[in-house]
Amino acid sequence: EVQLVESGGGLVQAGGSLRLSCQVSGFTFESYAVAWFRQAPGKEREGVSCITSEDRTTSYADSVKGRFTISSDNAMNTVYLQMNNLKPEDTAVYYCAADPYLICTVVHGIGVELVNHWGQGTLVNVSS
């Protein structure tokens, strides 16, 4: 059974930093991608960042470029999202997702409907 478990969320002041972790298990596909999404109250879920298992190519939404960094361990069992210079508009529930149909165009809002495996989410609350 595929499992994705996020951790690391919490309350942080604007300008601060936070690192999220996503533990991935039960995923046996040779090539896939893991992405971070977020959903703020009253808004649609949006792709934030993505990393591929094939070559560790990374992608970012325009809203987080230069502030967030996605990375993984060698086996891609854990995927991280380092968030720096956090802003109140970053407040959201953050989810990790993985799927053989997941392509990193999800950071542009394309292909999100094809993602089947999601974590439970972790709340990030950035205060002003």
Side-chain angles (χ1 to χ4, degrees), residues 40-60:
K43 295 187 176 181
E44 295 182 347
R45 189 170 299 185
E46 62 174 340
V48 173
S49 188
C50 186
I51 185 168
T52 65
S53 68
E54 187 173 48
D55 59 4
R56 300 298 198 272
T57 298
T58 59
S59 303
Y60 299 92

Side-chain angles (χ1 to χ4, degrees), residues 3-69:
Q3 287 190 310
L4 301 163
V5 181
E6 303 96 332
S7 62
L11 177 64
V12 64
Q13 290 185 309
S17 297
L18 210 59
R19 189 179 77 160
L20 306 182
S21 297
C22 174
Q23 292 186 310
V24 183
S25 63
F27 207 88
T28 60
F29 294 97
E30 188 73 19
S31 298
Y32 59 97
V34 176
W36 285 97
F37 293 79
R38 67 185 181 187
Q39 188 165 24
K43 295 187 176 181
E44 295 182 347
R45 189 170 299 185
E46 62 174 340
V48 173
S49 188
C50 186
I51 185 168
T52 65
S53 68
E54 187 173 48
D55 59 4
R56 300 298 198 272
T57 298
T58 59
S59 303
Y60 299 92
D62 289 341
S63 59
V64 305
K65 284 182 180 177
R67 299 189 298 120
F68 290 10
T69 303

Side-chain angles (χ1 to χ4, degrees), residues 39-127:
Q39 188 165 24
K43 295 187 176 181
E44 295 182 347
R45 189 170 299 185
E46 62 174 340
V48 173
S49 188
C50 186
I51 185 168
T52 65
S53 68
E54 187 173 48
D55 59 4
R56 300 298 198 272
T57 298
T58 59
S59 303
Y60 299 92
D62 289 341
S63 59
V64 305
K65 284 182 180 177
R67 299 189 298 120
F68 290 10
T69 303
I70 191 170
S71 62
S72 70
D73 61 14
N74 290 335
M76 214 152 139
N77 292 323
T78 305
V79 175
Y80 305 96
L81 186 67
Q82 178 67 45
M83 305 183 293
N84 297 326
N85 192 24
L86 284 161
K87 304 175 181 180
E89 51 262 47
D90 295 319
T91 295
V93 176
Y94 283 71
Y95 302 86
C96 63
D99 201 279
Y101 290 99
L102 177 65
I103 56 177
C104 290
T105 52
V106 295
V107 302
H108 305 300
I110 305 299
V112 179
E113 71 277 6
L114 301 178
V115 179
N116 293 316
H117 301 101
W118 298 87
Q120 84 290 343
T122 186
L123 177 63
V124 173
N125 193 349
V126 184
S127 64

